[in-house]
Amino acid sequence: MPSLVDIALGPSTRWSPAARLDGSLTAQWTTPDLDHVQVTADSRASGDAAGATRVELRGRQFTLAIDDLAALGARATAAIDGTLNTADFSQSTIRGSVDVKAEDAAKLTRALVQAGLIQSAPAIRGTTSAAFTVGGTFAAPSLDGSLNGAVQHESLPQTSFSARASISRDEANLREIDARLADSSVRGAVRWTSASNNIDGMLTGSLPLKTLHEVAAAIPRTLPLDGSVDFSAALSGSLAAPRIAVHAAGNGLDVAGERIDRLTADARISGPEVAVDTLLLELGTGRVDGSATIHLGRETYAARVNATNVPVRPLAGIADAGELPVSGTVSGTFEGTGTFQRLGGRGHLSLADARWRDADFGRLDTDFTLAGREVSFSVDGADLALKASGSVSLDPNGALSVRGRWEPTDLAAIARRLTIEAPFSTPGAASLGFEVTAARDRLSDARGFVTVDRLDVAVADQPIRLARPGRIESDGRTVRVDEVVLATGSSTPHDRRRARRLCTGAADADARWIGGRLLHSHAISCSRARPTRPSGRCRPARFTRASPPRDRSSGLGSRPRSRLPAAACPSPTAPASPAS
């Protein structure tokens, strides 16, 4: 059998079936001349190639019958006959039919790898079948027939396909190709020429966006997708280095509630390199255009994207609770080069009329830089008087840090923007600084602080100002308030040397209000000089305002006392008495 395989497929074929032939041969002749010879041969193979064959020769006429031959993971039956050419055996004619079926596509691909016919076995399963008519000569046989199958690649949906095939020694043609994956389809024709090893052809198809739910597990099924993209692919090059030119277009697409009026794209695939020459999205009066080159072998990229006046509506299917209530108009740029593991690039994003539900954030500008495994950014919210910067690692356990300042000169205007109802009597001003650091996988353990540098506002005709700047800190478990002193009206904070020295197990705050007006409040903050010692040093910070006698009939009451853990301080010995 190995010798027969060498004759049929050539000595370069690695597959040598471990099989044996058993059978009989009967020959009769009257003269040693082919026209007067009759031969009948029956055989049965066992092993990797198994099946029964029968060959009959009547003069120059021959027949070959193959009954259920199993080899290379497939099974075949054939009925072939022809006429031998005694002058040139290679020009003997053949005709007949061959039927091949693979019940297990995975077994077939593994056998083809072992035979050296393909380099690696794709992770597929399913069935394929082919029915061919045979013609031509021994030197130039030809097959013409149909291919059908239904295969599935890993977690993808089942793909069904059919095609007409013509195979000869010089070329192979696939025409009337019709492949379907879920609701998407591909049609066309492909040709391969053996002498040059070149391929050429054209494929056309359509991709309904909702099919992406079936083929991409990363896309949540709650994400609304509607519309269809039509595409064409022109094939050229060789089997070793194929080239594909792709054009795609779609109208009236819907992605997460965002309407894309028109999409066009042109791309080239040359071996491991993918070049997106043109990508254009038109959304109302806005547009996004870009280009990119990706080398899959080297895992490198170069990309450029521009966005101009792109409307953003509330995003559907992103959040578990329903719509993500964000809206605005986005413009921006990005340009960069790098690798999949070491990113590189710079960009700018501007979000005008930014809103979250009814809250109006105005204009937000962001600059960002990709460097290695880190993204650094800066944010300027001029309408909110907010500036911030930070960085985030792309590694799951990497660091996240954000720092910035909030310095509004009109608190009342910002409150109106954010739909916060507060009885401001004056515009008001404030100045705060903040910083937060955390590991991405442990955000609940974030550490940070807020510095209170200025506050000057009147609420319900009650002036409130910051008399002494202070700091509020958190280590993810406890919050510490360090000497934040507020003054109301014309009062001033008490000197610490005159205040009663108190230590509390918590930072306590008590406020008495009537009709939304602050009448009296006091606060105490404690800190430890040495964290390892059990005793503490108390630094009372007090702010008071003259308060009228308590009038229960007027509805005067106390808000619940809030307590923040401050383990640095022991239990209180006496409450702080307000000064008038």
Side-chain angles (χ1 to χ4, degrees):
M1 284 296 287
S3 299
L4 295 178
V5 171
D6 287 346
I7 294 172
L9 302 179
S12 62
T13 303
R14 295 204 306 262
W15 178 61
S16 296
R20 60 175 292 166
L21 286 174
D22 297 295
S24 62
L25 174 65
T26 302
Q28 295 179 340
W29 65 91
T30 55
T31 61
D33 181 84
L34 185 60
D35 292 331
H36 301 88
V37 174
Q38 295 184 7
V39 178
T40 301
D42 292 294
S43 66
R44 177 167 292 278
S46 59
D48 291 343
T53 61
R54 183 180 181 87
V55 178
E56 293 185 355
L57 178 63
R58 298 291 183 266
R60 296 173 185 270
Q61 305 298 315
F62 71 90
T63 61
L64 170 65
I66 299 176
D67 182 22
D68 196 21
L69 174 64
L72 294 175
R75 311 187 78 88
T77 60
I80 300 173
D81 63 76
T83 302
L84 297 179
N85 187 326
T86 57
D88 186 352
F89 186 74
S90 65
Q91 296 303 311
S92 301
T93 61
I94 55 176
R95 59 184 178 272
S97 64
V98 176
D99 296 316
V100 181
K101 188 172 185 179
E103 297 287 355
D104 186 350
K107 183 178 179 180
L108 172 62
T109 55
R110 289 195 300 268
L112 293 176
V113 171
Q114 294 172 359
L117 301 178
I118 59 176
Q119 293 183 349
S120 60
I124 61 173
R125 58 183 182 273
T127 63
T128 58
S129 63
F132 294 105
T133 57
V134 182
T137 64
F138 283 178
S142 65
L143 300 174
D144 186 84
S146 61
L147 294 172
N148 297 276
V151 296
Q152 188 171 7
H153 183 274
E154 293 183 340
S155 60
L156 296 179
Q158 180 175 275
T159 301
S160 61
F161 66 89
S162 64
R164 297 290 301 176
S166 298
I167 305 172
S168 67
R169 187 179 65 176
D170 297 327
E171 65 179 27
N173 282 284
L174 289 178
R175 60 190 188 279
E176 300 178 22
I177 297 173
D178 186 355
R180 298 181 180 275
L181 172 64
D183 293 327
S184 61
S185 62
V186 176
R187 296 179 176 86
V190 179
R191 182 179 65 174
W192 168 72
T193 305
S194 61
S196 61
N197 197 32
N198 287 341
I199 58 173
D200 64 85
M202 177 65 72
L203 300 174
T204 61
S206 64
L207 174 65
L209 295 187
K210 63 182 181 181
T211 304
L212 297 177
H213 289 140
E214 304 292 336
V215 300
I219 298 178
R221 291 188 173 273
T222 57
L223 184 70
L225 297 171
D226 195 17
S228 180
V229 175
D230 298 325
F231 64 88
S232 62
L235 281 66
S236 60
S238 64
L239 289 178
R243 295 192 299 271
I244 306 174
V246 180
H247 174 76
N251 296 304
L253 309 177
D254 183 274
V255 178
E258 304 300 315
R259 178 77 172 183
I260 302 174
D261 299 314
R262 183 168 175 251
L263 176 149
T264 57
D266 291 286
R268 294 174 290 111
I269 303 173
S270 180
E273 184 176 271
V274 180
V276 180
D277 298 321
T278 303
L279 173 64
L280 175 62
L281 303 176
E282 297 180 13
L283 306 89
T285 58
R287 57 182 285 154
V288 177
D289 65 90
S291 61
T293 300
I294 301 171
H295 198 291
L296 299 177
R298 301 171 188 162
E299 296 188 342
T300 60
Y301 72 90
R304 176 196 61 82
V305 180
N306 292 314
T308 306
N309 296 330
V310 178
V312 176
R313 302 177 179 88
L315 300 176
I318 301 295
D320 295 336
E323 284 188 342
L324 196 65
V326 61
S327 61
T329 302
V330 175
S331 297
T333 61
F334 172 78
E335 187 168 353
T337 60
T339 70
F340 295 170
Q341 297 300 320
R342 305 293 296 177
L343 302 181
R346 293 177 179 274
H348 174 81
L349 284 177
S350 177
L351 182 58
D353 300 323
R355 289 181 174 272
W356 180 273
R357 293 192 174 92
D358 295 330
D360 181 5
F361 295 95
R363 182 183 179 91
L364 300 175
D365 288 283
T366 301
D367 292 293
F368 61 92
T369 301
L370 310 182
R373 303 292 298 167
E374 185 177 86
V375 180
S376 58
F377 58 89
S378 62
V379 179
D380 185 358
D383 293 323
L384 298 179
L386 174 67
K387 290 187 177 182
S389 62
S391 63
V392 57
S393 172
L394 299 179
D395 298 321
N397 59 347
L400 165 68
S401 64
V402 181
R403 67 200 65 83
R405 291 199 64 82
W406 184 50
E407 297 180 318
T409 57
D410 192 338
L411 284 170
I414 292 179
R416 289 192 297 271
R417 273 187 172 276
L418 303 181
T419 65
I420 297 175
E421 296 184 3
F424 287 104
S425 305
T426 61
S431 179
L432 305 176
F434 61 88
E435 183 171 330
V436 177
T437 59
R440 282 185 53 195
D441 58 346
R442 298 192 305 276
L443 295 179
S444 60
D445 295 333
R447 307 175 67 91
F449 64 84
V450 175
T451 59
V452 185
D453 301 318
R454 180 189 180 193
L455 179 62
D456 189 354
V457 67
V459 179
D461 297 325
Q462 177 89 344
I464 302 174
R465 72 180 189 279
L466 182 68
R468 181 181 299 155
R471 181 183 177 104
I472 303 172
E473 297 181 0
S474 171
D475 61 4
R477 294 177 297 277
T478 61
V479 176
R480 171 193 173 97
V481 181
D482 187 11
E483 295 193 0
V484 178
V485 180
L486 299 179
T488 63
S490 59
S491 66
T492 58
H494 277 239
D495 190 308
R496 284 188 303 177
R497 291 173 298 179
R498 296 175 54 195
R500 180 181 300 175
R501 302 181 60 83
L502 301 176
C503 285
T504 87
D508 295 350
D510 186 17
R512 299 181 184 275
W513 297 72
I514 179 170
R517 182 177 179 183
L518 178 67
L519 298 181
H520 164 75
S521 64
H522 66 267
I524 298 175
S525 66
C526 294
S527 63
R528 292 175 57 167
R530 296 181 182 178
T532 57
R533 297 181 59 184
S535 61
R537 183 162 57 100
C538 181
R539 297 180 177 180
R542 302 173 55 186
F543 55 92
T544 62
R545 185 178 187 275
S547 56
R550 183 182 179 102
D551 183 0
R552 297 186 182 275
S553 63
S554 65
L556 177 65
S558 297
R559 287 192 174 185
R561 181 180 300 270
S562 61
R563 301 182 64 84
L564 303 176
C569 300
S571 301
T573 57
S577 58
S580 58

